[in-house]
Amino acid sequence: MRIFMDTANIEEIRRGAALGVVDGVTTNPSLLAREGVQYRDRVLEICAVVNGPISAECISTELEPLLAEARRIAAWHENVVVKVPMGEVGLQAIKQLASEGIKVNTTLIFSANQALLAAKAGAAYVSPFIGRLNDAGQDGMAVIRESVRIFDAFHLPTQVLAASVRGARDVTECALAGAHVATIPSAVLFQMIQHPLTDKGIEIFLRDAQKYSPV
Ligand code: G3P
């Protein structure tokens, strides 16, 4: 499973990239708003740190402006994947952008049906928001499992990119469900490294190492 970081904070991205496990980054308007930066500048900063797919979201709601915005954003860098929200206009845009060779990450996916339609329209990725589904009392992981199973059954090349990940266990569940990618907030990524038994084990080894001569 590929791991993307779900943040627009460049320091978090630098810290994560240093681990050697980060394959890409996803951003969205809320994540960028937190940073108070110039959109294009920040996306290019991220492209310079992580050599992988960098998702940058379009906000236009009408087709022609959305297509123009997506083409502009896609032209920023070869690794940029444009994020387009699921919907009727979104599907029309995905179809057109895919025909132009522009990779699209269809965001705000909340059902396997939405994922299937986005895949058929030519999306490179679909992003089911598992945390928000769970918040609504639904089974976010079921949408991951169903989408993966449908894409596999019909050999659809679109990748399931699990989003709205809220905790370390979500990452394990996404991997077990066959998600191609999980996009992970910085806090969760670093939480994945930790385990109290690891800490305890290191403490004991260091203590016992004092009992023999160092190399
Ligand atoms: O990539 C989508 C993600 O940032 C949304 O997460 O926690 O706002 O549902 P959340």
Side-chain angles (χ1 to χ4, degrees):
M1 183 175 78
R2 289 196 290 171
I3 287 178
F4 290 3
M5 288 186 79
D6 193 32
T7 179
N9 181 289
I10 196 68
E11 291 313 317
E12 289 176 2
I13 293 169
R14 285 199 179 98
R15 187 177 168 216
L19 300 174
V21 301
V22 175
D23 302 303
V25 176
T26 55
T27 69
N28 64 39
S30 303
L31 294 173
L32 277 154
R34 289 179 201 164
E35 303 302 315
V37 293
Q38 205 283 334
Y39 189 12
R40 178 176 180 275
D41 291 348
R42 178 49 53 93
V43 170
L44 290 178
E45 277 184 288
I46 295 171
C47 290
V49 175
V50 176
N51 183 23
I54 310 298
S55 285
E57 190 153 346
C58 300
I59 56 170
S60 304
T61 55
E62 302 298 322
L63 181 58
E64 288 310 320
L66 177 55
L67 291 172
E69 183 184 12
R71 291 170 184 136
R72 240 187 349 268
I73 291 174
W76 290 350
H77 192 282
E78 63 181 357
N79 287 347
V80 166
V81 175
V82 293
K83 253 188 177 180
V84 172
M86 179 65 197
E88 186 172 345
V89 170
L91 288 172
Q92 293 169 9
I94 293 164
K95 182 177 186 313
Q96 177 58 36
L97 294 169
S99 75
E100 298 173 15
I102 293 175
K103 287 191 176 178
V104 180
N105 174 3
T106 313
T107 191
L108 292 167
I109 293 276
F110 294 96
S111 73
N113 279 341
Q114 287 180 322
L116 173 58
L117 292 176
K120 285 184 64 65
Y125 301 92
V126 294
S127 290
F129 279 32
I130 59 175
R132 294 191 193 184
L133 280 162
N134 294 340
D135 292 346
Q138 297 176 40
D139 184 348
M141 212 53 71
V143 176
I144 301 293
R145 280 193 299 272
E146 291 167 357
S147 302
V148 167
R149 191 170 160 195
I150 290 166
F151 290 9
D152 285 352
F154 297 99
H155 309 295
L156 294 168
T158 304
Q159 297 206 333
V160 176
L161 193 168
S164 189
V165 167
R166 299 283 173 78
R169 185 66 200 169
D170 284 347
V171 183
T172 307
E173 296 289 348
C174 287
L176 291 171
H180 303 93
V181 187
T183 192
I184 304 172
S186 176
V188 174
L189 175 63
F190 288 98
Q191 183 186 24
M192 287 169 65
I193 299 172
Q194 306 302 323
H195 194 290
L197 288 178
T198 303
D199 297 342
K200 185 67 180 165
I202 290 171
E203 186 187 320
I204 291 169
F205 285 164
L206 290 177
R207 182 201 64 196
D208 291 348
Q210 300 309 311
K211 298 169 185 169
Y212 56 81
S213 57
V215 291

